[in-house]
């Protein structure tokens, strides 16, 4: 724990029925850092991410955002400072792109309408969609929808962004545009935790890669270290499979 | 005096009867909307305790399970002993409470049609549950509800004629008065009245279809 740690995850455990999905996960994140969580399906990556902002409540353990403990009582305030990007986008289907980005600014943070509009256009520009403000989600491609959902999260001025397999629901030819936006964010110094199978993103943008399996962190380290000579056999096997298929 | 002259002379009474029917319709639909929406929201998002949920289920079963004529008699004659209630008020309450049971079902299935990710996304951005329902789920659910609700509207305009049995002077009873005073002409008088119900029904449906088109958003199923 350093004094610059903006997000601390301490000994998170979560059980669904008989299955213990998270068996005591701890890590911390400094301001401006990007951590990429990889691992086979069912290793608990998404559950971990959801335990951080309590979309799933952990059975035990602590999460601290800027030294403030995340609890049921302060959860809405915490979440308004934690961007979350879903695998299946979850844009609000009845609202235009512009309103999708405005609504949480105005209804959660109390930002004035005009200011929210300006911010929305600014974020749309950042993700390369400034001309699609009037479109409805159903009129956009998956890649565009995901970029809007990133813009929607950014407009809340988050301290940290959590990405839950943001490219897994996309056709292969659409993943690139989303990965590019995420890379650009990482370069701009956004603090991010990214669950993904995009190894190119991990290699280029991650400050640290966390390899999870069976509810444990098996290994963590700088991407070039982990990719070239993982000390753990499981990590090596997983990365090899991914490298062959990805 | 032929029946056509009588119809022309007494048409204002039919219009007055129609007016009563429309007020009855509006009142019962409003009661049904407000109560039905409240019940649906409590059923879906309220406390899950039996103390709260069981009375709602019982309400729904009772009001959907008893013939409306019996319900009208119970509200009029039954409540008359407790409250000084007019037949018009009794009809509004009986029909309104029953409509609430039906409308709560319409709204419940509409809210359940909204994908769960919508609520999750709203909550993940720090929106409270109440606000998420108000700003994210409600507008989407209403778009799903408007089709079945049009159906409910159509049923209820017709059901207002049942208020006849407890003596509400609505359109059907006005028609009956004309028939009694002219000894016969059942067919022609009821044909005129049928046409009046039909026109109101058709216009209401057109308005609701118009509203549906106005609210249409790409991605929501259209009929």
């Amino acid at each position: 724990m350093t004094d610059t740690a903006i997000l601390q995850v301490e000994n998170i455990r979560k059980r669904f029925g008989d299955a213990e999905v998270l068996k005591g996960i701890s890590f911390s994140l400094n301001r401006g850092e990007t951590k990429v969580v990889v691992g086979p399906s069912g290793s608990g990556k998404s559950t971990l991410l959801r335990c951080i902002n309590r979309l799933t409540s952990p059975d035990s353990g602590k999460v601290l955002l800027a030294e403030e403990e995340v609890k049921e009582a302060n959860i809405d305030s915490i979440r308004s400072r934690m961007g979350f990007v879903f695998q299946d986008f979850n844009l609000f289907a009845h609202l235009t792109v512009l309103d999708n980005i405005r609504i949480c600014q105005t209804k959660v943070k109390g930002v004035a309408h005009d200011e929210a509009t300006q911010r929305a256009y600014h974020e749309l520009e950042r993700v390369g969609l400034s001309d699609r403000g009037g479109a409805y989600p159903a009129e956009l491609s998956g890649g565009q929808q995901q970029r809007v959902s990133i813009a929607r999260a950014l407009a809340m001025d988050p301290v940290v962004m959590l990405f839950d397999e943001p490219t897994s629901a996309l056709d292969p030819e659409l993943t690139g545009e989303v990965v590019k936006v995420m890379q650009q964010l990482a370069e701009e110094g956004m603090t991010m935790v990214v669950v993904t199978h995009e190894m190119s993103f991990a290699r280029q943008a991650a400050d640290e890669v966390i390899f999870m399996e069976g509810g444990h962190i098996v290994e963590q380290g700088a991407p070039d270290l982990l990719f070239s000579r993982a000390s753990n056999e499981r990590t090596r096997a997983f990365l090899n499979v991914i490298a062959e298929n990805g | 005096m032929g029946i056509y002259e009588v119809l022309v002379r007494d048409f204002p009474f039919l219009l007055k009867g129609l007016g009563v029917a429309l007020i009855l319709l509006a009142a019962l639909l409003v009661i049904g909307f407000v109560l039905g929406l409240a019940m649906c929201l409590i059923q879906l998002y309220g406390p899950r305790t039996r103390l709260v949920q069981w009375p709602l289920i019982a309400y729904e079963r009772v009001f959907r399970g008893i013939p409306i004529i019996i319900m009208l008699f119970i509200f009029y004659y039954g409540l008359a002993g407790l409250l000084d209630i007019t037949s018009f008020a009794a009809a509004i309450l009986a029909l309104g409470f029953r409509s609430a049971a039906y409308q709560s079902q319409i709204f419940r299935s509409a809210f359940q049609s909204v994908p769960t990710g919508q609520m999750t996304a709203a909550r993940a951005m720090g929106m409270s549950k109440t606000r998420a329902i108000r700003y994210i789920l409600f507008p989407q659910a209403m778009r799903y509800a408007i089709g079945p609700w049009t159906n409910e509207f159509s049923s209820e305009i017709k059901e207002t004629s049942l208020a006849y049995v407890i003596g509400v002077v609505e359109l059907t009873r006005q028609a009956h008065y004309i028939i009694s005073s002219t000894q016969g002409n059942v067919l022609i008088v009821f044909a005129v009245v049928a046409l009046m119900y039909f026109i109101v029904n058709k216009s209401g449906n057109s308005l609701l279809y118009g509203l549906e088109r106005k609210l249409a958003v790409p991605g929501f199923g259209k009929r």
Side-chain angles (χ1 to χ4, degrees), chain A residues 50 53 55 76 79-80 82 84 86 90-95 103-104 107-108 136 138-139 152-153 156, chain B residues 117-129 131 135-137 139-140 143 216-220:
Chain A
R50 284 169 168 261
N53 76 345
L55 286 179
D76 286 342
R79 283 174 182 160
S80 71
M82 253 187 208
F84 198 99
F86 295 88
N90 289 337
L91 291 179
F92 303 131
H94 64 303
L95 297 177
I103 194 158
C104 285
K107 303 301 177 198
V108 177
Y136 284 93
E139 298 172 315
R152 175 175 71 171
M156 296 293 281
Chain B
Q118 298 285 306
M119 175 63 114
T120 314
R123 297 304 313 274
M125 300 189 68
M127 219 182 247
S128 66
K129 196 168 168 184
R131 286 186 169 203
Y135 295 110
I136 307 300
L137 300 194
Q140 297 190 43
R143 286 173 166 91
V217 154
F220 283 82

Side-chain angles (χ1 to χ4, degrees), chain B residues 107-128:
Chain B
F107 295 139
R108 191 163 74 181
S109 106
F111 273 92
Q112 283 173 333
S113 301
V114 179
T116 52
Q118 298 285 306
M119 175 63 114
T120 314
R123 297 304 313 274
M125 300 189 68
M127 219 182 247
S128 66

